[in-house]
Amino acid sequence: MSESSVAEEPKLKYSRLAFDSEEFQKDSITCLSVSDRFLAIGTLQGAVQLIDLIGTPVKRWQSHTQSVNHISIDSTGEFIASASGDGNVIVNSLYSTENYSFNYKRPIFGVALEPEYGKKSSRQLVSGGIAGSLTMTGKGWFGNTQTVLHSGEGSISALSWNGNYIVWANDKGTNVYDITSSLKFATIEKSHSPRGDPYRCNICWKNSEEFFIGWADTVKIISIKERSAMDKNSGLSPKYVLVTHQFRTEFVVAGIAPFQDDILLLSFITNALDENTDVLDVFLNRKTSSPPEIHIVGLDGLEVANDVLSIGGFENYQANDYRLGKKYLMAEYLASDTISDVTYYISSPKDIIVAKPRDIKDHIEWLISLENYQEALDLVDEHKKEMVERDADELTLNIGQKYLKSLMDAKDYEGAAVVCSKVLGTNAQLWESWVYQFAEARQLGFIYKVLPVANPQLNSSIYELIINDYINSDLKSLLELVSIWPPHIYNIKTVIKTVELLLKKSNSPDLIYEILVKLHEIENSSNPFATIPISLNHNASDAIKHVRALVGSKGIQLLVEHTDHVPPSVAVKALDKSREFLHVYLDALFLKDHLEGSAYHELQVELYADFDPPRLIDFLRTSSNYSYPKVALL
């Protein structure tokens, strides 16, 4: 199927029904009727073939000796009536052996079973054909009865029964009969000249009170109205019809059906028509036919969309082949409550094409084809509840991958990073793949802020790739990164060694020192003083400030336990503004090791005297590193 090349989104999607075509190599489809469960196909050789909606054969009757002209399925889906050029109407039951045969002696072109035929004991049907009589046939007390409802206006070419109304077309026009009043109350005259007679009249109901007529190059919308009480009392029929819309087309209407608030038309036209050629002259000229088209038009006839259909052998098909009992194109529709469930079937002698309105997934695919990825992603998110979750996730990922590629190609790395965070989810493999693509573009700075560190946690090499990139290019971002990332996702010892090497080579080490301190703090989170040796090598005053900041929150005992990181000389300078803390520190240090703080024993004499005099005597007995004259002065 080739859809319209216009820029606007198509209205329909098409597929070919894969039914068993071997049977039709020597036979041809002549008519089609649709129920909500199956299709009934009439053939040139008089068979009625039932297939399900995916093309599987269900049942077959060799009902007629000539071509089947029309098929009617009752609303229960149980009975199928067929009319043929052999003058017979055959009614078959799908689920039982019940069947009826009626012979009208002359070719029959239309048949219609009464609504809910299978549930009613009356078993009524109407038929009509070349004899020009609209005949009601049903069960009576003493067998079948036949009643002519109308006659005398020429051959009946089309017939439909819906609710209380029977509509049929004859040489005069389209007629409407009311079952409740047993009265034909309207005739809608033809709008085309008699030369249009060879073209089939197409009748289609929109609802119980409104129907469409597509005949030759004319479309009419008919509404059935109830007359006022005054008009009824004056002797007028209870009902009348109103032609609410009417327009001509530039093609022959081969089929008609509702489409949402518009009209779907199956069109037929030949090649090589010039502007002076009337479309109705096609039948007379017998030129090579063009492929059929689907036209969606408004009620005013203005075109909304159109698609060319791919049908084999279209060059030899004519819109009027039905009337001639040969090959023809025909459209039937299957309607249901929601537009997404509406299906259109277009048949040719050898093909059946299925057309469906495009759904939200089709709309999303169309947006993807236009590279409107953001809008497509938004729609998936908006309609997630309507989709199977797995399908929605797969669709999101599919769109996201294409979107990411387009953003990377456009060098919109910031936008690509945002999309990564939205669409890659917990797929670690895809995250790693896209990190490498950012690395290849030398744009890792955009992705690190959205890179997951859990659920999923990526391979440590991914995080180290970004860290190494920042070591060489952006130390400020590196400091931010190591402050945010948990240390277990990368090899922190390796990173520390790399930063230490960088520190030795740098002429401006301040920021590198800060990064190194942060890394050591993270690595030795249980020892807040682990980075003091680095501080001493870099700036002793910074080390002292560091100790002062930590003492208040972590406690002096840690200083005593970690003299390897914080020498007493640094600790004493850090605590010199708080003599009480200094006393506690030196006292604890003395208890740990009498000699480690010996340089400060003289100071301790003063501190014991101020803060713990009872213990001064014990201290003096134990230590000899103090001045006796100074003790005497105390």
Side-chain angles (χ1 to χ4, degrees):
M1 245 59 52
S2 62
E3 295 184 341
S4 172
S5 59
V6 295
E8 292 185 7
E9 181 177 7
K11 298 290 186 181
L12 296 163
K13 57 184 176 181
Y14 300 92
S15 62
R16 197 178 306 276
L17 194 65
F19 65 96
D20 183 7
S21 59
E22 285 188 16
E23 180 179 344
F24 294 97
Q25 290 180 358
K26 295 182 179 179
D27 204 351
S28 300
I29 299 171
T30 55
C31 59
L32 174 75
S33 189
V34 182
S35 79
D36 59 354
R37 291 169 303 189
F38 60 85
L39 280 68
I41 299 169
T43 78
L44 186 66
Q45 295 183 9
V48 175
Q49 172 75 62
L50 301 190
I51 59 175
D52 65 19
L53 300 181
I54 61 171
T56 307
V58 175
K59 205 159 189 175
R60 184 180 185 278
W61 297 283
Q62 185 61 51
S63 300
H64 301 278
T65 58
Q66 294 185 32
S67 65
V68 180
N69 294 326
H70 192 217
I71 291 176
S72 173
I73 305 172
D74 85 316
S75 57
T76 69
E78 182 178 352
F79 287 88
I80 298 96
S82 55
S84 169
D86 63 8
N88 291 316
V89 169
I90 306 294
V91 181
N92 288 293
S93 172
L94 181 58
Y95 304 111
S96 70
T97 58
E98 186 178 357
N99 67 83
Y100 306 97
S101 177
F102 308 99
N103 182 268
Y104 299 95
K105 297 186 172 53
R106 302 188 69 184
I108 303 296
F109 298 132
V111 62
L113 295 171
E114 68 176 319
E116 298 188 326
Y117 179 94
K119 294 181 179 180
K120 295 183 178 180
S121 59
S122 55
R123 292 287 200 264
Q124 291 183 321
L125 61 86
V126 290
S127 59
I130 200 168
S133 298
L134 179 69
T135 304
M136 173 84 75
T137 303
K139 280 189 174 182
W141 288 103
F142 303 104
N144 294 324
T145 62
Q146 290 187 356
T147 304
V148 175
L149 303 182
H150 188 269
S151 64
E153 293 180 349
S155 176
I156 294 174
S157 58
L159 179 60
S160 178
W161 187 346
N162 183 47
N164 293 323
Y165 307 110
I166 299 171
V167 177
W168 74 98
N170 57 27
D171 291 348
K172 187 175 181 181
T174 307
N175 308 277
V176 188
Y177 184 91
D178 184 1
I179 294 292
T180 56
S181 62
S182 301
L183 180 68
K184 181 193 121 173
F185 63 89
T187 296
I188 302 101
E189 293 188 355
K190 295 178 183 178
S191 299
H192 52 277
S193 64
R195 64 184 176 182
D197 286 349
Y199 295 103
R200 182 181 65 253
C201 175
N202 300 279
I203 301 167
C204 169
W205 289 88
K206 182 179 182 181
N207 53 54
S208 60
E209 303 291 329
E210 191 173 17
F211 62 94
F212 299 160
I213 302 171
W215 200 346
D217 63 346
T218 302
V219 172
K220 295 180 180 180
I221 302 174
I222 311 299
S223 182
I224 299 173
K225 301 290 186 181
E226 184 85 21
R227 290 195 189 275
S228 66
M230 182 180 297
D231 286 342
K232 291 178 185 177
N233 292 335
S234 66
L236 294 175
S237 62
K239 303 288 179 67
Y240 70 101
V241 298
L242 181 66
V243 180
T244 58
H245 297 83
Q246 176 177 331
F247 55 87
R248 292 191 67 183
T249 63
E250 296 180 351
F251 47 80
V252 172
V253 177
I256 188 168
F259 182 85
Q260 300 176 12
D261 295 328
D262 297 318
I263 305 170
L264 183 144
L265 300 173
L266 175 62
S267 73
F268 168 84
I269 199 166
T270 63
N271 293 320
L273 289 183
D274 60 45
E275 60 182 8
N276 297 317
T277 303
D278 193 310
V279 67
L280 299 184
D281 285 335
V282 171
F283 175 78
L284 302 176
N285 295 337
R286 304 291 283 182
K287 295 181 182 294
T288 302
S289 300
S290 298
E293 298 182 12
I294 291 292
H295 292 256
I296 297 173
V297 300
L299 300 182
D300 52 6
L302 295 178
E303 188 162 286
V304 175
N306 82 286
D307 299 319
V308 178
L309 300 180
S310 175
I311 292 183
F314 65 84
E315 301 90 344
N316 301 313
Y317 297 158
Q318 297 291 325
N320 64 328
D321 282 348
Y322 172 78
R323 178 173 288 276
L324 297 174
K326 296 182 181 179
K327 304 170 185 177
Y328 66 95
L329 303 171
M330 185 173 184
E332 290 282 349
Y333 69 96
L334 169 65
S336 58
D337 293 338
T338 58
I339 189 63
S340 61
D341 292 332
V342 175
T343 304
Y344 302 90
Y345 294 86
I346 301 102
S347 71
S348 74
K350 303 294 183 182
D351 267 332
I352 297 177
I353 304 300
V354 183
K356 293 184 177 182
R358 295 165 63 85
D359 57 22
I360 188 63
K361 288 185 179 180
D362 298 308
H363 181 52
I364 289 169
E365 288 297 327
W366 182 74
L367 290 172
I368 293 171
S369 72
L370 298 180
E371 299 184 2
N372 290 347
Y373 300 117
Q374 186 59 61
E375 188 177 349
L377 283 173
D378 291 343
L379 272 178
V380 174
D381 189 57
E382 181 182 342
H383 294 274
K384 218 165 194 174
K385 291 182 180 178
E386 303 167 26
M387 303 179 187
V388 176
E389 185 174 352
R390 183 184 64 185
D391 291 346
D393 290 342
E394 288 180 359
L395 194 53
T396 296
L397 197 56
N398 177 45
I399 299 168
Q401 296 271 72
K402 293 177 180 178
Y403 194 13
L404 280 170
K405 184 180 183 308
S406 71
L407 291 171
M408 294 292 281
D409 290 344
K411 297 181 169 39
D412 182 1
Y413 303 110
E414 184 176 6
V418 171
V419 172
C420 280
S421 68
K422 290 182 177 179
V423 305
L424 299 185
T426 59
N427 193 318
Q429 185 177 358
L430 283 178
W431 270 110
E432 292 172 7
S433 172
W434 280 104
V435 168
Y436 283 123
Q437 292 193 49
F438 274 84
E440 187 177 342
R442 299 183 181 278
Q443 299 296 333
L444 285 170
F446 288 101
I447 198 169
Y448 93 89
K449 292 183 180 180
V450 300
L451 200 65
V453 296
N455 193 33
Q457 179 180 323
L458 309 183
N459 190 290
S460 61
S461 62
I462 295 295
Y463 303 109
E464 290 164 15
L465 175 69
I466 295 175
I467 288 172
N468 288 328
D469 182 73
Y470 283 149
I471 286 174
N472 297 315
S473 64
D474 189 349
L475 291 173
K476 286 185 178 180
S477 293
L478 177 61
L479 179 60
E480 179 183 353
L481 187 151
V482 298
S483 300
I484 295 172
W485 280 0
H488 66 271
I489 66 173
Y490 59 94
N491 190 327
I492 193 168
K493 292 185 182 297
T494 302
V495 174
I496 287 173
K497 287 180 181 179
T498 305
V499 176
E500 285 175 344
L501 289 173
L502 185 65
L503 181 62
K504 290 179 181 179
K505 298 176 182 177
S506 175
N507 295 322
S508 303
D510 288 355
L511 184 55
I512 303 172
Y513 156 73
E514 191 177 352
I515 293 168
L516 198 56
V517 168
K518 174 60 71 175
L519 287 168
H520 275 287
E521 285 178 354
I522 293 168
E523 183 190 25
N524 301 281
S525 58
S526 62
N527 178 9
F529 300 115
T531 59
I532 296 301
I534 306 167
S535 303
L536 288 170
N537 292 333
H538 176 70
N539 189 318
S541 64
D542 285 345
I544 291 168
K545 290 177 184 178
H546 192 178
V547 173
R548 284 174 178 165
L550 292 169
V551 165
S553 60
K554 300 295 181 180
I556 290 175
Q557 187 60 38
L558 288 172
L559 285 173
V560 176
E561 293 172 0
H562 296 286
T563 53
D564 54 334
H565 292 101
V566 187
S569 59
V570 174
V572 170
K573 286 182 181 180
L575 299 172
D576 64 354
K577 293 182 180 180
S578 176
R579 287 173 60 79
E580 185 173 2
F581 278 150
L582 183 58
H583 163 68
V584 173
Y585 169 70
L586 290 173
D587 178 52
L589 190 64
F590 180 75
L591 293 173
K592 174 190 173 188
D593 187 339
H594 292 341
L595 298 177
E596 192 165 11
S598 60
Y600 304 100
H601 283 189
E602 191 169 303
L603 173 60
Q604 277 189 275
V605 172
E606 297 178 20
L607 292 172
Y608 277 118
D610 289 343
F611 297 104
D612 197 358
R615 293 190 58 212
L616 178 57
I617 297 301
D618 291 337
F619 174 76
L620 293 173
R621 288 173 180 168
T622 306
S623 174
S624 59
N625 297 304
Y626 55 86
S627 169
Y628 281 100
K630 191 162 188 177
V631 173
L633 290 174
L634 292 172

